[in-house]
Amino acid sequence: MFTLTASVLLLSVKHVYGLAVVMFISGLAFAPTIIIAMGLVEQSVPKHLLTEALTWLITGLGVGIAGGAALTGWVVEHLTVDLGFGVAVVAAATVVLLAWYQKHHDTRRVTQVVSE
């Protein structure tokens, strides 16, 4: 939720100093998010698959950053800067929805497939 809130704040920024403050606040969420994600992976996969699972986590992060940069660059170049910030808001909202879905539905099959 913190990332989503910070992303929405980006849409209200009107000055470069405000942008710096919002980006600082957004950056505060990055390390805790990675730490929590790694902890969840560590708890949810068998020990003999931990290295592979963490590698997939970091790979997904890298692909997401590259894809987000490419999409945002295209949006800013062809549309507007404001809509570029909207990419961050949509991405953050998607993460919140996926987390909610994951929490409220049975995910044992995913772990079972990974361990096979």
Side-chain angles (χ1 to χ4, degrees), residues 28 41 64 83 114:
L28 292 175
V41 168
L83 289 177
V114 170

Side-chain angles (χ1 to χ4, degrees), residues 20-68:
V21 170
V22 171
M23 292 307 295
F24 172 77
I25 293 168
S26 297
L28 292 175
F30 186 75
T33 301
I34 297 301
I35 291 167
I36 291 166
M38 288 184 172
L40 289 172
V41 168
E42 186 176 3
Q43 291 175 1
S44 63
V45 301
K47 293 292 183 198
H48 70 280
L49 294 174
L50 183 58
T51 302
E52 181 181 355
L54 290 172
T55 301
W56 278 112
L57 175 74
I58 297 303
T59 300
L61 175 65
V63 170
I65 290 171

Side-chain angles (χ1 to χ4, degrees), residues 1 3 7 11 16 25 34-35 40 44 48 53 61 74 113 116:
M1 291 301 290
T3 303
S7 297
L11 296 173
V16 70
I25 293 168
I34 297 301
I35 291 167
L40 289 172
S44 63
H48 70 280
L61 175 65
W74 186 91
V113 169
E116 291 176 349

